[in-house]
Amino acid sequence: MELRHLLYFKVVAQELHFRNAASKLFISQPPLSRQIKELEQELGVVLFERNNKRVMLTEAGRYFQKEVELIFSRLEESKQIMKLMHGSISGELRIGYISSTYHIHLVNSLKEIRTVFPFVKTSLYEVPTVKQVIALEEGKLDIGILRAPIHSEKLKQLTLFTDPFVVVMPRLESDFTTLEDIGHYLKNQPFIFFNKDYAPDYHLRLVEICQRMGFSPDIVHEANNMHSIMRLVESGLGVSIVPSSLQEQYAYLNLSFFSLSRLPIATEVVLAYNPNQSNPAIDWFIEKYTAQFKETTN
């Protein structure tokens, strides 16, 4: 059985007239009748009832017509998919991020890119800033979502937003009203920070905040993940200083926050990429992802 046999059957079944079907297929009637006869012999069934007045499908013919229609429908679908694949961007979009950045905008962009670039696979990697910079420079990551400063002349940086800091502590009954009050409380508390080697610039920023409030932090626990830090604080093992944007992300935890926006210290969240690695999927993601932050600030 060949595809032409199925095509000939499909047209005859639609027309129920051999002469009309032959005309549509651009062949003469005798070869068409012969091909249908060969198909019936191979299947071992009669597909058409014929007489001088009309042609009708048998019960087997009606069943086979449905099956043949499905076959041709699937073939057409495959053709369209292959055309899309031939003309579309494919490959992998590798995105690095840090645990202390809020992910709702990232989720929105990942949902939308599936409709624009259906053959692009997106891979997410939680990587600290220092290692992200190296991976971006070496072409192992396409896009990085990280915190400044970025020590690289090879990468282009786009500011997403500026994030002031807050003190995070186990849930308290009363609130502090001044920096002096919170500073007096914090100097006697154990601190939970990111590991110094894991995020050196971020670590120094937190130490500077404490020094501006008149004390050096007693760092008793270190972690390499923001979720771990927040859970340790909630468990009463210490306090920490985190970007204020995380308040919404961890609102479900039993924590209290105190704003440090009156201190002239903040952290800048940026998107970084190597302009030499650009392609349409990367360009689209950068434009759509950064636009969400512009809408938020307007």
Side-chain angles (χ1 to χ4, degrees), residues 9-18 20-22 24 55 65:
F9 168 79
K10 178 176 178 288
V11 176
V12 175
Q14 289 172 341
E15 297 294 321
L16 294 178
H17 196 289
F18 274 81
N20 292 346
K24 279 197 168 186
V55 176
Q65 183 186 29

Side-chain angles (χ1 to χ4, degrees), residues 8 11-12 15 17-33:
Y8 292 165
V11 176
V12 175
E15 297 294 321
H17 196 289
F18 274 81
R19 185 184 303 164
N20 292 346
S23 176
K24 279 197 168 186
L25 293 165
F26 301 102
I27 61 174
S28 60
Q29 184 175 336
L32 175 59
S33 297

Side-chain angles (χ1 to χ4, degrees), residues 34-225:
R34 188 168 59 252
Q35 295 290 338
I36 295 299
K37 194 66 176 177
E38 289 177 0
L39 179 61
E40 289 179 320
Q41 290 174 348
E42 182 171 350
L43 293 173
V45 298
V46 176
L47 297 170
F48 297 98
E49 293 179 356
R50 310 167 180 82
N51 58 42
N52 292 333
K53 293 183 178 180
R54 62 178 181 173
V55 176
M56 294 192 312
L57 284 164
T58 65
E59 185 177 351
R62 287 192 293 271
Y63 171 80
F64 193 58
Q65 183 186 29
K66 294 178 182 178
E67 294 299 307
V68 170
E69 292 288 351
L70 288 174
I71 290 171
F72 277 95
S73 176
R74 186 70 184 91
L75 283 172
E76 183 61 30
E77 181 182 341
S78 298
K79 284 167 58 179
Q80 295 302 320
I81 290 175
M82 287 188 291
K83 286 179 181 179
L84 283 171
M85 292 179 69
H86 179 72
S88 297
I89 303 299
S90 60
E92 182 182 15
L93 180 61
R94 302 158 301 175
I95 303 171
Y97 69 98
I98 52 177
S99 64
S100 61
T101 53
Y102 193 43
H103 305 313
I104 184 62
H105 295 318
L106 181 58
V107 171
N108 293 338
S109 296
L110 291 177
K111 287 180 179 178
E112 189 175 353
I113 198 173
R114 292 295 300 155
T115 63
V116 181
F117 298 98
F119 303 107
V120 170
K121 173 188 174 184
T122 54
S123 299
L124 299 178
Y125 303 93
E126 184 178 318
V127 185
T129 293
V130 174
K131 291 185 178 180
Q132 272 199 60
V133 171
I134 297 172
L136 288 165
E137 290 179 336
E138 295 178 349
K140 296 177 181 178
L141 285 177
D142 300 305
I143 293 170
I145 301 167
L146 56 175
R147 292 187 184 272
I150 308 301
H151 304 293
S152 174
E153 296 180 357
K154 297 179 181 179
L155 304 181
K156 186 170 182 179
Q157 304 173 46
L158 301 174
T159 297
L160 299 175
F161 63 97
T162 300
D163 210 359
F165 286 98
V166 295
V167 174
V168 58
M169 61 197 100
R171 181 75 68 183
L172 296 176
E173 294 296 330
S174 60
D175 293 330
F176 297 99
T177 57
T178 67
L179 279 175
E180 290 75 16
D181 289 340
I182 191 67
H184 181 73
Y185 167 78
L186 291 177
K187 70 179 181 180
N188 298 313
Q189 297 298 315
F191 270 82
I192 305 166
F193 274 4
F194 270 106
N195 181 277
K196 183 177 181 180
D197 295 328
Y198 184 85
D201 289 303
Y202 187 78
H203 185 277
L204 287 174
R205 194 71 55 88
L206 302 186
V207 171
E208 181 186 356
I209 290 173
C210 294
Q211 291 173 341
R212 281 179 175 262
M213 288 190 287
F215 68 93
S216 293
D218 178 20
I219 303 171
V220 297
H221 297 289
E222 291 186 337
N224 293 345
N225 181 279

Side-chain angles (χ1 to χ4, degrees), residues 101 132 136 142-150 152 154-162 267-275 278 282-294:
T101 53
Q132 272 199 60
L136 288 165
D142 300 305
I143 293 170
I145 301 167
L146 56 175
R147 292 187 184 272
I150 308 301
S152 174
K154 297 179 181 179
L155 304 181
K156 186 170 182 179
Q157 304 173 46
L158 301 174
T159 297
L160 299 175
F161 63 97
T162 300
T267 177
E268 180 186 9
V269 179
V270 303
L271 181 147
Y273 65 99
N274 189 333
S278 180
I282 294 175
D283 296 342
W284 179 94
F285 182 89
I286 292 172
E287 179 181 354
K288 292 294 181 179
Y289 185 70
T290 56
Q292 294 180 82
F293 293 95
K294 294 176 183 177

